[in-house]
Every structure is written in structure tokens, then in C-alpha cells.
Amino acid sequence: AQKVTQAQTEISVVEKEDVTLDCVYETRDTTYYLFWYKQPPSGELVFLIRRNSFDEQNEISGRYSWNFQKSTSSFNFTITASQVVDSAVYFCALSEAGVASGSRLTFGEGTQLTVNP
Amino acid sequence: EPEVTQTPSHQVTQMGQEVILRCVPISNHLYFYWYRQILGQKVEFLVSFYNNEISEKSEIFDDQFSVERPDGSNFTLKIRSTKLEDSAMYFCASTLAVLSTDTQYFGPGTRLTVL
């Protein structure tokens, strides 16, 4: 069964600090997809990034970057130069690529990020 | 930019009543989903739907729940006899691809309160 663990329940930083959100996953599939979603106080779920299991190249997109390491089953997400508007709950999620397709997303518990001015 | 929409944004109902939550997925998307989030907890998968039938459901999705695509645009979740523990935020999502490789885009959610 698939599982996602976000060990950090809450993180508090001061504006302009860099912050890394940790995510560890478990899956028996060799092909899978990892996601980060943001849930601001307004409650909606906003897609941020997606990686597939056969591409470990780490990338930067604006102030966001991610570090995907299959060897440690980790998919960490970093926000550079954090801003108050980054304050939200961040969810890591996993999807296994099954034959039946339309595979469910399994979410972690979420990390509440608070960026203080 | 196309987006998933959900109505109502907030629904209050009495225990034992039936509720129907409505979603309009992104127009060219093929897979539809319902998830729920009990207050302060993680998001949990309920059901996925493709080609007018359920493709996968979780253990949460028991006989009290049903889904339907009554026309070419709407996707509904019905709870037949609500319980207090059904109080949660319900999210609809859709994805373009036939395979589970594409991103699921979520609607803004419907907050269901069962009294």
C-alpha cells in the first residue's frame, strides 16, 4: 500500500528565510508520481509541482525547488526567500501508475507553514 | 484558465438527510474524483470515475455514497443519509489523461456540516 509521511507538523520562519518541507513516501510500484499541493487559509488545493519516478533531475521553478531522491524515498520541497503569502498547509501526495489508471492520490498529513513578517 | 467549480460552497444539513454535492470538471478532462478532508486532517480519496463508471473507490466510499455524471458537464456526489462524521470539506478533482500520469486539478471544495 502507498503511504506518504510529512514529519513536520508545523514550521515557522521569518520572511526571506529559505524553508524546506520534508516528504517521505512508500510504494511498491516502480512507476509513480509525486506532487506538492498548497492549501492556503481560504481552503482550496493548489497544484504546485509534479515529478515522475523515472526522472530524478531536480529543478528550480521561480522560488520553488525540489529534491527527489529515490534511494531515500524522499521528495523534499524548498521555498527560497519565503514571503508572508506562502503561509499555508503544504501537502505531499503520491500516485501509483496502475493498469486501471485514474489512480488515487495519497496525501501526507500536511505541514503548516507560517511565514512571519 | 479553465478551473473546476463546485457548488454549494457550504452546505448545512440535518443528520439523516440526503445531500448532493455538485462539481463541474474542466471541460476536456476525462477522469473525475472526489476527496474529503475532515477539519484539520489530511485529504482522503473517496472515488474515481471514468467513462460513466466508478474506476476505483476507497473503503470510506460505502453504500451511503454514490456518484453520477447526469449530463455532459456535471459530476455529483450523493450522500444518502448523512451522519455527523460526514462533516468535512469535499473536493472534486479532474484530470485530462487516460493514464494516471496527469495532474489532478481540484475545485474550491464544499464544506458540509451535518448537525
Side-chain angles (χ1 to χ4, degrees):
Chain A
Q2 55 193 30
K3 184 180 178 182
V4 176
T5 302
Q6 294 179 252
Q8 304 153 308
T9 306
E10 295 181 29
I11 299 176
S12 183
V13 299
V14 177
E15 207 170 16
K16 297 184 184 176
E17 284 185 17
D18 297 347
V19 57
T20 295
L21 309 180
D22 297 335
C23 173
V24 174
Y25 61 91
E26 295 176 30
T27 176
R28 283 179 282 198
D29 269 22
T30 55
T31 302
Y32 51 89
Y33 300 85
L34 295 161
F35 303 81
W36 278 96
Y37 285 86
K38 172 182 178 181
Q39 187 174 43
S42 49
E44 72 270 27
L45 283 167
V46 179
F47 164 73
L48 296 176
I49 56 175
R50 176 185 66 152
R51 296 304 289 177
N52 60 55
S53 55
F54 38 90
D55 183 0
E56 286 192 73
Q57 182 177 350
N58 296 311
E59 293 186 19
I60 297 173
S61 175
R63 294 189 299 111
Y64 298 155
S65 63
W66 48 96
N67 186 345
F68 174 33
Q69 296 201 0
K70 287 180 76 171
S71 60
T72 55
S73 297
S74 66
F75 184 52
N76 298 335
F77 175 63
T78 297
I79 303 173
T80 303
S82 59
Q83 301 173 1
V84 173
V85 293
D86 295 328
S87 297
V89 180
Y90 289 81
F91 290 98
C92 179
L94 166 71
S95 174
E96 295 174 336
V99 174
S101 53
S103 191
R104 64 173 72 184
L105 281 174
T106 296
F107 285 82
E109 300 286 344
T111 297
Q112 170 71 60
L113 173 65
T114 302
V115 181
N116 297 300
Chain B
E1 184 174 323
E3 56 184 22
V4 178
T5 60
Q6 290 185 244
T7 54
S9 56
H10 190 189
Q11 173 100 43
V12 181
T13 189
Q14 296 290 326
M15 190 170 55
Q17 294 296 305
E18 174 183 287
V19 295
I20 297 176
L21 310 183
R22 291 182 168 80
C23 168
V24 179
I26 296 173
S27 62
N28 60 341
H29 282 191
L30 301 175
Y31 262 95
F32 315 118
Y33 308 81
W34 284 101
Y35 291 81
R36 80 170 186 191
Q37 184 183 31
I38 296 171
L39 185 64
Q41 299 186 21
K42 66 179 177 181
V43 181
E44 300 174 291
F45 169 78
L46 292 177
V47 65
S48 60
F49 190 86
Y50 171 71
N51 199 25
N52 281 320
E53 60 183 29
I54 291 174
S55 57
E56 188 183 6
K57 60 183 181 180
S58 72
E59 55 280 0
I60 302 170
F61 194 87
D62 60 22
D63 292 343
Q64 291 298 314
F65 291 91
S66 63
V67 289
E68 189 179 29
R69 188 154 165 83
D71 53 43
S73 59
N74 290 283
F75 178 51
T76 62
L77 173 69
K78 181 192 293 186
I79 309 175
R80 290 191 182 83
S81 178
T82 51
K83 306 170 192 167
L84 295 176
E85 54 264 37
D86 292 328
S87 294
M89 181 75 93
Y90 288 81
F91 291 102
C92 174
S94 69
T95 186
L96 174 64
V98 174
L99 298 177
S100 61
T101 60
D102 210 346
T103 299
Q104 293 180 29
Y105 292 94
F106 286 78
T110 293
R111 181 167 298 284
L112 176 64
T113 302
V114 182
L115 303 176

